Amino acid sequence: MNINRLSLKEIYVLAIVVIFLLLIIYAIFSQQQTGLQRVGGLYLKKLGANPNIRNYVYGIYGMYRFYDTLFELLIFSTAVLGITIFSDLEESRESSSSELIESHVVDASASFLYPIIFLLGLYLAYSAHLGPGGGFAGGVIAGTGVLLLAIAIGADRIGQLFYEQFMKKVEYLILLLVLAIVLCSAVLPIDIYTGNRGTAVIIIANLSMGAKVFIGSWTILHFFVKHRGEI
Amino acid sequence: MILFFLFLLLVLAGAVLIQKRLLNAVILLGVFSLTSSMIYFLVGAPDVAVTEGAIGVAFVTFIYVLALSDQGKLHVVTEEIPPFFYQDKGRIQGIEYEILQQLADQLSLDLEVEFVKHSDLPSQISSRRTEIIAGAFYKEYLPASGLNITLPFHQASLAKIVDTQIENAPIGTLTDLDVTDIKEIDAERISRFNALEDLMSAYNKEKISGFISDSARMSIALNQITTQKRKTSEISQVSDINYTFAIPSSEVELTDKLNELLENLTKTGQLEKILDRYLR
Amino acid sequence: MTLFTSTISILVVGLGIIGLILKKNVLMKLLSLNIVNTSTILFFVLIVSEQGDRAPIGSSGLARMADPLPQALVLTSIVINFGVLALSLLFTMVLVKRYHTLDIDKIETSVKRDYKEESP
Amino acid sequence: MISLLVGLSAYLVSGTMTLIFRKWRFWISLSGWAGALVGLIFTSITYRNSGSTIGSLGPWGQLGIEIKIDQTTVLFLILAVALNLFTLLYLKGKKPATFYSLYNLLFATSFSWAFTNDLFNLYVIIELMSLISILLIGYDRKTYQIYAGIKYLLLSSLSMSLYLIGLAILYKTAGHLGISSVKAHLGAEPEFAVTLALTLMITGLAVKGGVLLFSMWLPDAHSYSSTVVSALLSGMAIKCGLIDIIRLSVLTDMSEALLVLGLITGIGGTIFAVIEKFPKRLLAYSTISQVGYILLGISMGTDLGITAASFHILFHGLSKSLLFVAVGHGKVGRIDLHQVNKVSLPIASKLGLLAGSLSILAIPPLDGYFSKCLLLDTVGHSWTWIVVLFIGLGTALSFVKLNWALLPGPTKGKFRLDDLSLIVYALIVSVGGGITLFFLSRTYIRHLFCLEYIEESIAILLIAILLYWLFKKPISKIRSPDFVFDLDSSLISLFTGFLLVIFLWL
């Protein structure tokens, strides 16, 4: 893609993309600033009244539009399902050596760091309705914590330590739990998110999402550790 | 403040696209996601900043680096044999090196050469890291099974030097030469040496009456014979051998790529030029 | 202010698209797809943001709160882009395992060759 | 709202349960299907007595996610449930458990897709649908399947980013996500920004919906994947993109942009189909041309147009998946139609082939006839009527070519159980036209059977047979261009299509 000898195709592509950008930029600038109250403002007012939720972004994706988050969990579990389907590919050449990096520095720091990482992941997962964070961020951070352990001790030992097969089954039960929460919030006449029962439901939903993402992210990492160095 | 980070974003995106090595591009992508997470924070979206940081920066970069950790390397295992594959003042040279370098460029991979002694060559083949075995390799050279032999890139002959005065001393040869099937030498009178130097010193001290080696090493061996020995020794052709590369049979794709390369090298005459530079 | 920020994020989207189409290496295509996705998300958040927005957390505070809806939507699409990326990396790995090359044209020719060779 | 949740949770539970109890995967999926049937009955009852309603999921009124139940929803659900039953009976536990889990998740997405009227929820479901169909395409791990999967993934991910940009601009102006509330806030004359936003969203949906310039991944993905997967993709996954174009067409009048897109897709699809020599790829191209029909129906903008398009979605889905399974069942997916003659096929796939092609060629008793005539009605006697007939002729030509090679051969193989499911489905497809009674008034259907339409379709068939018999040799000479469907050119054609639509609309 060097600049001086541009082929016809490259010129055509550049032309299209430039026109595409100009159109959008013109659209952005030509948009009248509609002062009208967007639905976001409505959410802010409504959520202000609900004492349980202080993080209004959680209020939207955790309560009002929880159906979207259910599908988001489905997308994550499809990705993990895809990884498990392809996990019986024959291993890559490097994975014969169990540890990724054989050095004492990594072992020492791993054993020191991973509790902190788990704690951070847990904190972000369960306190999604109070401050920033969320089931996904918490689960992924905990997943990377386990990766640090895998670097130190070795992926396969972590596999048995972690009862992988059992965890995979638990992962799908959690999905059903989240589905149950969606059903209750949609079907039941009473609003299950208010009062003490509300915080209980919120914390259950957060922790289940965090746990599911944690198990899923470890499955993905374990696959990529086993099949590293392929591309 | 936000505008600064946004321009940084633009520069990083351009940098990622220009990178030649994939590993650099992946690291730059991590920095790109980090800057975008920073912008989210500045714009007042902490939730998105945390999630983008956790997923976009850490997880995605981990997965790319893990998948790429051995990105695009062509592993070559060889014995140091001038003029085929040798190190000269830290720089690798040789006929086979130049051919394999062209193959690596074609596959947009980096050539990684590992010099190894002849004895542990068979073990190298079993370990699945090696992709090509070089170093004046020819069919009889290594009876290891499970190897694809590529097209020959150089015809040469197995030569024998005999010192006329010494009769009864055994014929010396290198351990890696499989000379058992050559008729006029009976097997038990062969003494094997694993390095060219001690073969030559034995010959100069008349411990052996002569030696057999492939023509490549023959040219090196000749200038090591002491002058007065040279007068009494004469060279005779034994059998012709053709030098090829060996590739584990599982790498079918690689074998026909190398054959393709050898074919058009011979067609374009480049092979002759390389051989001239090194052998003649 | 938001106009400039969103135009720059659109420029990054354009850069990603150019990389996606013109790059011959499959992995570079994935990287530029990742750039396109990240900058689209950035565009979504930036277009509704105003100068000096405050995080939509907690009740008190005088400054204007940022619009929480795009942030909630964007959280979902970050996870979606990650899912798409993980699967496409998986598929690239399978292709590279078979064809030993990352060049899209070589892959396409050998895929067509394999499809014809494999008898029905 | 209840029926959506019933059907969705039935599929999700069966999807996850198949992974946990791997032995009873067939029965669990069957129970999932039963739950979906209950959901379908609920929906049709609510539709029957209260017409097309717009509600929201959960007790939160405008703040929740908007759901719509109308004619397209019910028809698409009938398609999904029928396809589910047919492919499940045909599969009957042959595949491992993960395939069934993906299978159920695919139906879960199509079930919830029919209901959503919320722009962002649409985005999430489209992405889930593309992830699942990619895994299904690449399931047998053959390299050409993996390649088709990657091409589909890259194209759909890029197009969904365009959709998101469009949604961002639209959200800034309209401020709402539900389609009905957006329509309320949009005002009469939409400004340039809103038109651009809608074009971006239409591009995203067109890539998923199988429009010619946009979804260049379709021939590879549908012809390389295995039998059941290609039947599902062609029969149902494509229709999801079209349903959303129907939903979005409510927002502004985009008739002539869709008209041109429909023409390009219809004519281009038939031309490629006539040239193609592999049966499965021929069917994939004919799917593209039928998508052209549906777009023409939508572009008319009238209610009758929307009904014609929804009916065509249903009937084409049924017959195309029947054709794919019939071809796959006989294992003739990859034979060369030009060279080979007298191919031996089991009786079931012959019957399926005959029923499917006749239904697509709109021969009176079969169900394709109803949707074609509805389309002819909406189009009226303008010049598009001639184009519709031309596309009909092209499709007839390609199907005559398909049957010419496959039908006359001897029938092989004794009668097996899964043949039965194929034959039963062929009967359903041929007699399926009765569903229109459920929706249209009796007098209207008698009008559909008037002489003019009947002789039209039969005349087209006869001309096609004559044409093929005459030009058998030259057709087989033309070699269909492959480079058009490579990854780079499909990305370029995506953007060319986008620019075409935006300039048409201005």
Side-chain angles (χ1 to χ4, degrees):
Chain A
M1 203 179 77
N2 44 32
I3 304 306
N4 39 38
R5 274 185 299 100
L6 276 178
S7 75
L8 181 64
K9 182 175 125 176
E10 279 154 3
I11 297 171
Y12 182 62
V13 165
L14 290 175
I16 300 180
V17 173
V18 163
I19 297 170
F20 168 75
L21 294 179
L22 290 181
L23 281 173
I24 295 186
I25 291 168
Y26 175 66
I28 295 170
F29 276 93
S30 77
Q31 223 172 8
Q32 318 110 344
Q33 302 309 342
T34 56
L36 64 90
Q37 189 43 277
R38 278 196 287 271
V39 86
L42 220 61
Y43 278 116
L44 283 179
K45 263 208 299 305
K46 267 303 211 11
L47 284 166
N50 186 334
N52 289 343
I53 296 174
R54 286 185 62 244
N55 177 3
Y56 300 143
V57 176
Y58 178 80
I60 293 176
Y61 79 81
M63 189 167 98
Y64 284 116
R65 297 179 69 94
F66 200 57
Y67 184 68
D68 276 354
T69 323
L70 169 69
F71 273 97
E72 191 185 329
L73 264 172
L74 275 174
I75 284 177
F76 194 84
S77 56
T78 329
V80 169
L81 190 63
I83 298 276
T84 41
I85 289 173
F86 279 82
S87 59
D88 50 9
L89 281 169
E90 40 95 10
E91 306 223 339
S92 78
R93 283 191 282 278
E94 282 71 37
S95 57
S96 45
S97 63
S98 67
E99 283 89 9
L100 283 105
I101 311 160
E102 297 88 9
S103 89
H104 301 298
V105 172
V106 172
D107 293 352
S109 58
S111 59
F112 169 72
L113 269 179
Y114 82 85
I116 297 172
I117 295 176
F118 279 159
L119 204 62
L120 176 65
L122 193 65
Y123 170 72
L124 281 179
Y126 87 81
S127 78
H129 60 290
L130 299 173
F136 285 93
V140 163
I141 287 174
T144 39
V146 177
L147 177 70
L148 188 65
L149 267 179
I151 290 175
I153 301 170
D156 309 326
R157 263 201 63 240
I158 290 284
Q160 310 108 12
L161 216 67
F162 197 65
Y163 318 114
E164 246 172 25
Q165 297 320 330
F166 170 68
M167 279 300 184
K168 287 212 174 66
K169 301 245 178 346
V170 166
E171 188 183 350
Y172 289 101
L173 290 182
I174 292 177
L175 190 67
L176 294 184
L177 174 66
V178 173
L179 175 68
I181 293 175
V182 168
L183 289 179
C184 301
S185 71
V187 169
L188 290 185
I190 48 154
D191 177 1
I192 56 172
Y193 282 96
T194 51
N196 307 355
R197 187 181 58 251
T199 23
V201 167
I202 289 171
I203 297 244
I204 293 169
N206 284 345
L207 286 180
S208 55
M209 273 203 301
K212 170 143 188 34
V213 171
F214 169 59
I215 301 168
S217 57
W218 166 243
T219 331
I220 292 180
L221 280 174
H222 191 160
F223 172 82
F224 278 108
V225 163
K226 249 197 328 215
H227 294 268
R228 62 182 179 280
E230 278 311 314
I231 293 172
Chain B
M1 181 62 167
I2 299 176
L3 281 179
F4 162 71
F5 280 109
L6 275 165
F7 283 118
L8 181 63
L9 215 61
L10 211 61
V11 168
L12 280 170
V16 167
L17 295 182
I18 294 169
Q19 285 307 322
K20 273 280 165 283
R21 286 177 62 86
L22 291 176
L23 211 55
N24 301 6
V26 163
I27 305 297
L28 276 172
L29 190 73
V31 178
F32 176 86
S33 318
L34 196 63
T35 355
S36 72
S37 162
M38 183 62 190
I39 294 173
Y40 288 135
F41 178 72
L42 288 175
V43 160
D47 244 278
V48 185
V50 169
T51 319
E52 172 71 21
I55 294 183
V57 174
F59 210 70
V60 163
T61 325
F62 274 154
I63 288 189
Y64 268 123
V65 166
L66 278 176
L68 271 178
S69 63
D70 185 0
Q71 49 105 3
K73 288 219 175 32
L74 191 63
H75 298 282
V76 176
V77 165
T78 173
E79 221 184 324
E80 183 150 10
I81 302 166
F84 285 88
F85 227 128
Y86 60 97
Q87 260 172 348
D88 173 10
K89 295 187 292 306
R91 217 165 54 76
I92 305 176
Q93 289 167 353
I95 305 166
E96 290 170 355
Y97 169 72
E98 287 192 18
I99 296 172
L100 291 180
Q101 186 56 51
Q102 286 193 14
L103 176 67
D105 298 344
Q106 217 182 8
L107 295 172
S108 69
L109 303 171
D110 297 341
L111 198 63
E112 194 190 82
V113 180
E114 217 177 315
F115 288 103
V116 83
K117 279 200 303 310
H118 174 73
S119 51
D120 49 23
L121 257 181
S123 69
Q124 275 302 336
I125 296 168
S126 57
S127 94
R128 290 204 301 254
R129 276 181 62 81
T130 27
E131 275 156 353
I132 298 179
I133 292 145
F137 180 89
Y138 54 92
K139 247 196 286 316
E140 310 80 19
Y141 178 55
L142 201 62
S145 65
L147 282 178
N148 290 3
I149 309 296
T150 67
L151 294 177
F153 61 86
H154 174 50
Q155 267 75 27
S157 61
L158 205 60
K160 182 175 78 170
I161 300 180
V162 172
D163 184 342
T164 45
Q165 281 89 6
I166 308 151
E167 293 317 321
N168 42 31
I171 305 278
T173 178
L174 285 167
T175 46
D176 49 24
L177 294 187
D178 177 6
V179 290
T180 47
D181 55 2
I182 299 166
K183 43 223 171 318
E184 71 265 21
I185 308 151
D186 37 21
E188 79 297 339
R189 280 188 57 240
I190 293 178
S191 70
R192 291 189 178 279
F193 299 82
N194 42 29
L196 195 60
E197 294 72 20
D198 37 35
L199 173 71
M200 291 320 302
S201 58
Y203 182 64
N204 289 341
K205 297 189 198 66
E206 274 108 10
K207 284 209 211 63
I208 48 172
S209 66
F211 62 92
I212 298 172
S213 96
D214 53 297
S215 65
R217 276 170 282 210
M218 187 58 76
S219 53
I220 308 140
L222 277 181
N223 51 39
Q224 283 174 359
I225 302 172
T226 52
T227 47
Q228 48 85 13
K229 283 294 285 179
R230 194 166 291 127
K231 286 193 289 312
T232 58
S233 52
E234 81 279 334
I235 305 174
S236 61
Q237 295 298 97
V238 172
S239 70
D240 55 0
I241 43 168
N242 31 43
Y243 293 107
T244 62
F245 294 107
I247 298 176
S249 49
S250 63
E251 306 279 344
V252 170
E253 201 57 42
L254 210 52
T255 332
D256 27 326
K257 276 205 179 34
L258 189 50
N259 289 342
E260 238 171 80
L261 179 74
L262 290 173
E263 263 152 32
N264 57 46
L265 276 184
T266 35
K267 266 210 285 328
T268 56
Q270 273 174 319
L271 194 59
E272 283 318 310
K273 279 204 249 13
I274 298 175
L275 290 173
D276 295 349
R277 254 191 288 120
Y278 282 96
L279 285 184
R280 297 323 171 247
Chain C
M1 174 56 187
T2 54
L3 297 186
F4 296 114
T5 46
S6 21
T7 36
I8 297 172
S9 60
I10 279 294
L11 291 181
V12 180
V13 169
L15 211 63
I17 291 171
I18 291 173
L20 180 64
I21 297 177
L22 290 185
K23 275 283 166 186
K24 281 281 165 270
N25 184 333
V26 178
L27 205 84
M28 285 309 282
K29 280 186 189 287
L30 288 189
L31 288 178
S32 22
L33 180 70
N34 197 354
I35 289 180
V36 167
N37 289 336
T38 322
S39 41
T40 358
I41 296 169
L42 191 63
F43 173 72
F44 201 147
V45 174
L46 283 179
I47 196 163
V48 278
S49 73
E50 294 300 325
Q51 182 68 21
D53 271 3
R54 200 171 61 78
I57 292 170
S59 53
S60 72
L62 309 132
R64 181 182 175 287
M65 265 197 207
D67 185 342
L69 183 64
Q71 295 172 13
L73 306 182
V74 150
L75 280 176
T76 323
S77 47
I78 290 177
V79 174
I80 291 171
N81 294 330
F82 164 70
V84 165
L85 186 86
L87 282 187
S88 49
L89 207 61
L90 177 73
F91 278 14
T92 337
M93 215 182 263
V94 175
L95 277 181
V96 167
K97 220 191 257 282
R98 170 72 180 78
Y99 291 124
H100 291 290
T101 167
L102 274 166
D103 187 301
I104 194 71
D105 302 332
K106 289 205 181 74
I107 289 179
E108 271 164 359
T109 36
S110 29
V111 159
K112 288 195 180 72
R113 182 164 43 80
D114 278 359
Y115 183 64
K116 284 193 181 56
E117 268 157 27
E118 195 177 273
S119 62
Chain D
M1 195 257 290
I2 311 286
S3 45
L4 161 65
L5 289 175
V6 164
L8 181 72
S9 45
Y11 277 130
L12 284 182
V13 165
S14 60
T16 40
M17 281 308 155
T18 41
L19 280 176
I20 296 171
F21 308 107
R22 294 184 179 241
K23 265 201 315 309
W24 299 292
R25 50 184 180 279
F26 174 66
W27 300 107
I28 293 174
S29 317
L30 209 59
S31 62
W33 173 78
L37 192 64
V38 166
L40 170 65
I41 295 162
F42 261 123
T43 347
S44 40
I45 290 167
T46 38
Y47 176 71
R48 202 76 181 119
N49 45 36
S50 66
S52 78
T53 58
I54 293 179
S56 104
L57 190 65
W60 295 298
Q62 206 195 13
L63 293 179
I65 292 167
E66 211 172 285
I67 300 177
K68 180 175 186 182
I69 300 178
D70 66 354
Q71 198 176 24
T72 343
T73 331
V74 180
L75 285 175
F76 183 71
L77 286 186
I78 296 171
L79 172 68
V81 170
L83 264 183
N84 187 356
L85 179 67
F86 163 52
T87 36
L88 204 58
L89 291 178
Y90 182 73
L91 267 178
K92 222 180 9 293
K94 275 188 268 197
K95 294 270 184 179
T98 38
F99 185 89
Y100 278 82
S101 154
L102 286 174
Y103 177 85
N104 283 315
L105 282 178
L106 184 71
F107 277 102
T109 45
S110 64
F111 205 88
S112 58
W113 192 306
F115 282 89
T116 49
N117 204 9
D118 183 284
L119 291 175
F120 187 76
N121 199 351
L122 217 63
Y123 168 79
V124 177
I125 294 176
I126 295 178
E127 287 283 350
L128 182 58
M129 165 78 71
S130 45
L131 278 186
I132 294 170
S133 38
I134 278 145
L135 282 174
L136 283 172
I137 291 172
Y139 195 79
D140 300 342
R141 231 171 276 171
K142 296 200 175 64
T143 46
Y144 46 84
Q145 285 176 345
I146 300 277
Y147 168 68
I150 273 201
K151 190 193 297 186
Y152 180 35
L153 191 62
L154 286 181
L155 266 170
S156 82
S157 180
L158 176 68
S159 67
M160 278 308 122
S161 298
L162 296 187
Y163 180 92
L164 210 58
I165 295 178
L167 183 62
I169 302 173
L170 195 68
Y171 175 70
K172 175 153 187 173
T173 327
H176 286 271
L177 285 179
I179 290 181
S180 62
S181 35
V182 163
K183 185 160 176 45
H185 285 79
L186 259 194
E189 179 38 49
E191 50 175 331
F192 170 73
V194 173
T195 345
L196 182 82
L198 284 172
T199 336
L200 281 167
M201 294 162 102
I202 294 284
T203 337
L205 297 175
V207 169
K208 299 299 294 178
V211 183
L212 182 68
L213 264 182
F214 296 89
S215 62
M216 291 307 206
W217 54 271
L218 194 133
D220 274 359
H222 289 192
S223 55
Y224 288 163
S225 50
S226 58
T227 331
V228 173
V229 171
S230 50
L232 280 180
L233 283 183
S234 219
M236 194 172 64
I238 291 296
K239 306 301 180 287
C240 300
L242 298 168
I243 285 182
D244 299 324
I245 293 181
I246 292 178
R247 289 276 156 77
L248 278 182
S249 64
V250 167
L251 284 179
T252 56
D253 159 42
M254 40 186 150
S255 55
E256 93 277 306
L258 283 178
L259 190 67
V260 171
L261 271 187
L263 296 189
I264 298 170
T265 331
I267 296 169
T270 35
I271 291 170
F272 276 116
V274 170
I275 304 170
E276 185 50 48
K277 58 180 189 303
F278 294 118
K280 260 194 158 184
R281 219 168 157 83
L282 184 137
L283 289 176
Y285 286 132
S286 90
T287 316
I288 294 183
S289 72
Q290 299 298 317
V291 163
Y293 268 152
I294 296 171
L295 281 179
L296 283 180
I298 303 171
S299 66
M300 284 307 128
T302 61
D303 276 356
L304 189 62
I306 306 283
T307 352
S310 334
F311 270 107
H312 200 68
I313 284 177
L314 171 63
F315 292 140
H316 172 256
L318 290 175
S319 40
K320 188 45 65 70
S321 50
L322 172 65
L323 280 167
F324 263 108
V325 175
V327 167
H329 185 57
K331 307 250 176 323
V332 285
R334 259 209 293 277
I335 55 159
D336 188 340
L337 280 174
H338 297 164
Q339 268 81 24
V340 87
N341 48 30
K342 297 297 174 292
V343 173
S344 71
L345 272 176
I347 181 71
S349 54
K350 269 203 184 154
L351 211 73
L353 200 62
L354 195 65
S357 6
L358 288 183
S359 142
I360 287 193
L361 296 181
I363 302 303
L366 288 102
D367 54 7
Y369 173 74
F370 292 92
S371 59
K372 185 96 178 283
C373 299
L374 274 171
L375 196 69
L376 287 175
D377 263 6
T378 51
V379 163
H381 284 282
S382 63
W383 56 276
T384 45
W385 183 66
I386 303 157
V387 169
V388 166
L389 291 189
F390 174 74
I391 298 174
L393 185 67
T395 342
L397 209 60
S398 52
F399 275 97
V400 161
K401 174 168 140 179
L402 185 71
N403 296 342
W404 193 286
L406 294 184
L407 273 189
T411 59
K412 69 162 163 101
K414 65 171 181 45
F415 184 76
R416 285 204 316 269
L417 195 55
D418 56 13
D419 291 5
L420 185 65
S421 68
L422 195 54
I423 293 174
V424 163
Y425 191 63
L427 289 178
I428 292 172
V429 161
S430 39
V431 90
I435 298 175
T436 46
L437 291 171
F438 186 72
F439 285 90
L440 302 176
S441 64
R442 213 159 253 78
T443 55
Y444 192 75
I445 291 170
R446 205 165 298 108
H447 151 66
L448 279 182
F449 272 99
C450 70
L451 215 51
E452 184 213 350
Y453 290 143
I454 294 177
E455 14 129 317
E456 243 166 48
S457 24
I458 295 172
I460 288 178
L461 183 59
L462 295 180
I463 300 167
I465 295 171
L466 189 69
L467 274 176
Y468 187 72
W469 189 67
L470 284 175
F471 301 108
K472 197 164 181 329
K473 284 290 155 295
I475 288 180
S476 56
K477 288 296 171 297
I478 316 162
R479 217 186 60 71
S480 67
D482 275 352
F483 73 93
V484 182
F485 297 101
D486 289 347
L487 183 60
D488 291 351
S489 34
S490 25
L491 287 165
I492 294 168
S493 64
L494 189 147
F495 279 97
T496 349
F498 165 74
L499 294 177
L500 177 75
V501 171
I502 192 75
F503 288 134
L504 273 173
W505 212 336
L506 290 185

